[in-house]
Amino acid sequence: MAGVFSKSAWLKVWTYRGTFLHGLLTTVETAVLAILLAMILGIIFGLFATGKVRILKAIARVYVEFIQNTPVLLQICFLYYILAFSGHSIGIIPAGIISLGIYHGAYMAEVIRAGIEAVPKGQFEAAQSQGFGYIGQMYYIILPQSIKIILPPMVNQVVNLIKNTSCLYIIGGTDLISMTYSFVTGAKTGGAYGPAYLVSGVLFFVICFPLSKLGSTWEARLKQRDKRTGVAAGGDGKGADAA
């Protein structure tokens, strides 16, 4: 077994760098498609949860609670193997995309629900008084105001989804972690555990850290802007009272 500081191990990793790049590309492709699915489901069930139709609110609640309270690893295995043994296998990557999309869609739905409910009720009443229907209210009035609340935690969910692509290893995917495992256990490439997993971790970090930093910076700027707006409003109120 080669250590982290083994020159031969690092040389082996460099020689077969295409393995890691292939895994990284698969991880990115899987993550992008899963993010799109998660956002679609998040919007749908987020709107269900904040709507007035009780059956839709109940469906959204059941979806969110069930998905959030079962492991994503279990969901991936269930979807992949239940389809495989029923003779309707869709492949490892599609199964991973669907599983991750459904899992993180539940969290996206909660983010969107919280963002919509944070908008003052007066905005809904004002939209209704202007003759907007439910879709019009959401599209023109409510969602634009909730964006600043929704985006930071949504970015965090994107980061979590990217990291959770590593769970595809359990069903033998071609994602970064799976390809790393294949590398360290291969007949010609086996043994370079330290360098291989270190490189894999660095690649994940390179993708996730900028996104994570973007989310925290975005949230801090929004809070500062809201604070400045509040101070300005307070200053106007004092000036009005003095006048």
Side-chain angles (χ1 to χ4, degrees), residues 149-234:
I149 302 170
I150 291 173
L151 285 179
M154 188 172 286
V155 171
N156 291 333
Q157 283 304 315
V158 169
V159 173
N160 290 333
L161 189 153
I162 294 171
K163 291 187 290 186
N164 280 338
T165 58
S166 60
C167 292
L168 296 185
Y169 154 77
I170 198 67
I171 56 175
T174 56
D175 60 286
L176 182 54
I177 294 297
S178 299
M179 295 302 288
T180 303
Y181 178 77
S182 298
F183 174 84
V184 299
T185 57
K188 295 182 178 180
T189 59
Y193 289 93
Y197 281 115
L198 184 59
V199 167
S200 183
V202 169
L203 291 175
F204 267 107
F205 181 83
V206 167
I207 297 174
C208 295
F209 179 73
L211 290 173
S212 180
K213 196 68 177 176
L214 173 64
S216 58
T217 301
W218 209 337
E219 187 172 10
R221 287 180 178 177
L222 289 172
K223 287 181 179 179
Q224 289 177 359
R225 189 179 69 179
D226 289 343
K227 187 176 181 180
R228 287 196 300 268
T229 303
V231 170

Side-chain angles (χ1 to χ4, degrees), residues 106-130:
Y107 288 91
M108 293 284 193
E110 283 293 272
V111 168
I112 291 172
R113 178 193 62 79
I116 292 174
E117 291 182 348
V119 176
K121 292 184 178 180
Q123 296 295 315
F124 289 89
E125 296 170 355
Q128 288 178 347
S129 68
Q130 294 297 318

